[in-house]
Amino acid sequence: MSVFSLSLRSGSSGNSTYIRTESARIAVDCGLNGKQFALALRSVGEDVADVDALLLTHEHIDHCSGIGVVMRRHGIPLYTTMSTFENARKILGNIDEALVRIIEPGKAFTIRDTVVLPFSIPHDASDPVGFRISSIGGDIGVATDLGHFSSEVGDSLAGCRVVYLEANFDPEMLESGSYPRFLKNRIAGSHGHLSNFDAGDAAAQLLHTGTEAFALSHLSRDNNRPGLALKTVSERLLREGARAGRDYVINASPRYECSRAFRRHIILENV
Ligand SMILES: [Zn+2]
Ligand SMILES: [Zn+2]
């Protein structure tokens, strides 16, 4: 199978990242409805009925609103921590619990021949995780909804070739914006979301471990702009002597459409 990954949707109105490895078809989160999910996959030549696994990062609705319907329609197994499952149960609705596979942070599991490592992330949910998905063409990491880039997250993503990394907000835009104080504090807090500057520091750290492609993800509609996120992170990486297009690839995952796939990048690295 050809190996590629892309963001199907990204942001507080719905998240899903699709990863096709040599042996497995995996969706991390499904915060869009069943029809949108199937159409998004079809737009990249994939059939939703062929998806091997749904991985759930945490129970917030922008990550799990479509999980129940996709499970019911297509009988796809769900991989989730017990606490996330219990907290998402109402949103998932009536599902076949035989399809639920309970996972634990730090304990790798396999989907077909693909090894997946869930790891704890600091976020205000019951037991949130990010994922590292192994691939011969280079591992792929997904870490959004991060209050801060903890050492555990950094260690878990080290050496990933592609990382879907949160760049949620620009601190000035958040501070001067119209959100109520409690919400500003929640977003900027250590268990909220990652700012563009924190994403830049995280990307710099990852760059030195071998990461070559960054997908800035979960951008706020009100407190960020794709161009600003890209500029902030690229400028930070320039301080490490790394230039976009020469030393690494970077894009910002769109809110309402599919991103470009990291495909050529990985294939190039294989030859
Ligand atoms: Zn979210
Ligand atoms: Zn969240």
Side-chain angles (χ1 to χ4, degrees), residues 4-7 17-19 140-144 157 162-166 213-217 251 253 259-262:
F4 68 92
S5 67
L6 78 162
S7 165
T17 307
Y18 183 69
I19 294 144
I140 296 149
V142 179
T144 68
L157 293 176
V162 178
V163 175
Y164 290 79
L165 177 67
E166 173 162 56
F214 299 95
L216 303 182
S217 299
N251 66 25
S253 304
S259 71
R260 283 173 51 203
F262 287 121

Side-chain angles (χ1 to χ4, degrees), residues 16-256:
S16 188
T17 307
Y18 183 69
I19 294 144
R20 183 167 143 171
T21 70
E22 295 81 2
S23 63
R25 294 171 165 94
I26 296 168
V28 175
D29 293 328
C30 184
L32 57 174
N33 69 41
K35 191 177 172 188
Q36 286 174 332
F37 183 63
L39 285 173
L41 287 174
R42 195 183 301 166
S43 75
V44 290
E46 298 290 287
D47 187 337
V48 63
D50 294 335
V51 174
D52 295 302
L54 297 163
L55 314 185
L56 181 56
T57 59
H58 64 297
E59 69 272 23
H60 291 162
I61 190 128
D62 54 320
H63 298 261
C64 67
S65 63
I67 296 265
V69 69
V70 172
M71 289 178 75
R72 281 188 288 279
R73 274 186 199 159
H74 305 287
I76 301 169
L78 170 66
Y79 293 74
T80 171
T81 67
M82 178 58 88
S83 179
T84 295
F85 177 55
E86 283 169 354
N87 283 279
R89 215 182 262 266
K90 267 190 186 161
I91 302 169
L92 300 182
N94 189 19
I95 55 160
D96 178 359
E97 296 205 6
L99 291 171
V100 177
R101 316 268 190 269
I102 298 301
I103 59 172
E104 288 178 44
K107 289 196 177 168
F109 59 93
T110 56
I111 298 167
R112 297 191 181 273
D113 289 334
T114 295
V115 178
V116 179
L117 176 70
F119 53 89
S120 289
I121 57 171
H123 188 54
D124 54 1
S126 63
D127 189 12
V129 292
F131 291 101
R132 179 186 184 123
I133 293 161
S134 68
S135 166
I136 297 164
D139 291 3
I140 296 149
V142 179
T144 68
D145 299 66
L146 296 171
H148 60 281
F149 194 75
S150 67
S151 57
E152 184 175 356
V153 174
D155 290 346
S156 302
L157 293 176
C160 278
R161 183 159 285 161
V162 178
V163 175
Y164 290 79
L165 177 67
E166 173 162 56
N168 185 268
F169 67 96
D170 173 71
E172 253 180 59
M173 286 180 75
L174 177 68
E175 194 50 40
S176 61
S178 62
Y179 284 15
R181 173 50 55 193
F182 81 89
L183 191 51
K184 289 180 180 177
N185 290 347
R186 194 220 131 205
I187 290 168
S190 66
H191 285 64
H193 291 279
L194 209 62
S195 75
N196 293 343
F197 291 100
D198 292 339
D201 287 341
Q205 190 180 319
L206 289 169
L207 184 82
H208 292 301
T209 72
T211 302
E212 296 173 351
F214 299 95
L216 303 182
S217 299
H218 213 294
L219 272 64
S220 168
R221 184 189 59 195
D222 301 316
N223 304 310
N224 210 351
R225 295 285 175 268
L228 184 56
L230 290 166
K231 180 170 178 281
T232 304
V233 174
S234 300
E235 284 179 355
R236 177 65 184 84
L237 293 179
L238 195 57
R239 280 167 41 202
E240 306 296 313
R243 280 184 195 282
R246 184 190 72 183
D247 303 305
Y248 64 92
V249 177
I250 190 166
N251 66 25
S253 304
R255 173 171 289 265
Y256 296 117

